[in-house]
Amino acid sequence: MEKGLSKEHSAISAMFNSIAGKYDLLNHLLSLGIDKGWRRKLVRGLKSSPAKVILDLACGTGDLTIALYKNGFTVTGADLSVNMLQIARQKSEKLEKMEQPIPDYIECSAENLPFEDSSFDAVTISFGIRNFQNRDIALQEIFRVLKPDGRLAILEFATPKNWVWRTLFNTYFSVILPVIGRMISKDTRAYRYLPESVKEFPQYETFCKEIERQGFNNIDFKPLTGGVAVLYFAEKLG
Ligand SMILES: C[S@@+](CC[C@H](N)C(=O)[O-])C[C@H]1O[C@@H](n2cnc3c(N)ncnc32)[C@H](O)[C@@H]1O
């Protein structure tokens, strides 16, 4: 991870295992709490569809998984990092019981999903896909496990198109955030990796084309907070 961006599963899971204990605190602090509103927008986008059973891929500590559960969905969270999953499980055990079972969590990679074909009404990924070792294979796997007419919802960071906003964002993301991240997490790499991984991730229309190449239709995206994050939706037509 020191040189360039290794996205090997072992490197990525080691990094997230190392920061898992401080992940939630840093997430909400560094985004000034805005990340919660972004996840809410994703959940709202799915509520308008008949989706019931959801796979929250790269679920991490389970913030989106839990938001989906609280909105009445049956959710399975999946992630590479055992420490992130452990926190997600602990948070879920404290949840007030609803009609549907509390989220189930599974350790696996996005590139090799341990689910039958056509298992889910929707697959969600928040701030996970830019870390995947092989996005094309992961998107093929997602397509496979989605039911016909199933939906894909992806929330991911982006670089704002407006230059004033982009300059502010780059300064914050590349200069301030790594320093605070390192101080709190004591991990020297993880919060330097974050801006680098956002910079190299394809954005907006370019990423939509990647999704389309794997067979998805009706691809749409919505920039959030001036384009700091983007919410993508796509469908597997029946
Ligand atoms: C930045 S965290 C996002 C967690 C959570 N979705 C959220 O919104 O806070 C990225 C997560 O992606 C997971 N991840 C990265 N690559 C993965 C892969 N190939 N398969 C499964 N999970 C992966 C990491 O372990 C980590 O927990």
Side-chain angles (χ1 to χ4, degrees), residues 23-24 27-28 35-47 54-79 84 87-88 91-92 95 100 103-105 122-129 151-156 224 230-233:
Y23 179 83
D24 282 348
N27 223 7
H28 305 320
D35 61 310
K36 293 183 189 169
W38 293 338
R39 288 191 189 84
R40 267 199 302 274
K41 285 215 162 77
L42 186 158
V43 175
R44 267 207 298 277
L46 286 179
K47 276 189 96 170
I54 298 190
L55 171 65
D56 183 30
L57 192 49
C59 66
T61 57
D63 273 3
L64 177 61
T65 327
I66 290 168
L68 289 161
Y69 171 78
K70 287 182 176 167
N71 278 275
F73 296 104
T74 299
V75 205
T76 300
D79 200 284
M84 296 287 271
I87 292 171
K91 281 157 63 174
S92 299
L95 285 171
Q100 74 279 24
D104 193 18
Y105 291 98
V123 174
T124 57
I125 313 172
S126 61
F127 308 109
I129 198 158
R151 294 186 79 197
L152 169 63
I154 298 176
L155 186 55
E156 192 47 90
L224 306 173
V230 179
L231 183 53
Y232 301 88
F233 282 104

Side-chain angles (χ1 to χ4, degrees), residues 133-150:
Q133 186 168 11
N134 190 319
R135 279 196 302 274
D136 283 349
I137 294 180
L139 286 167
Q140 285 159 23
E141 275 293 85
I142 292 166
F143 194 85
R144 180 183 68 74
V145 302
L146 273 173
K147 293 180 189 171
D149 295 323

Side-chain angles (χ1 to χ4, degrees), residues 139 207-219 234:
L139 286 167
F207 183 50
C208 290
K209 290 212 175 78
E210 257 191 33
I211 302 176
E212 194 177 24
R213 272 205 305 276
Q214 302 311 329
F216 287 91
N217 287 85
N218 297 336
I219 302 155

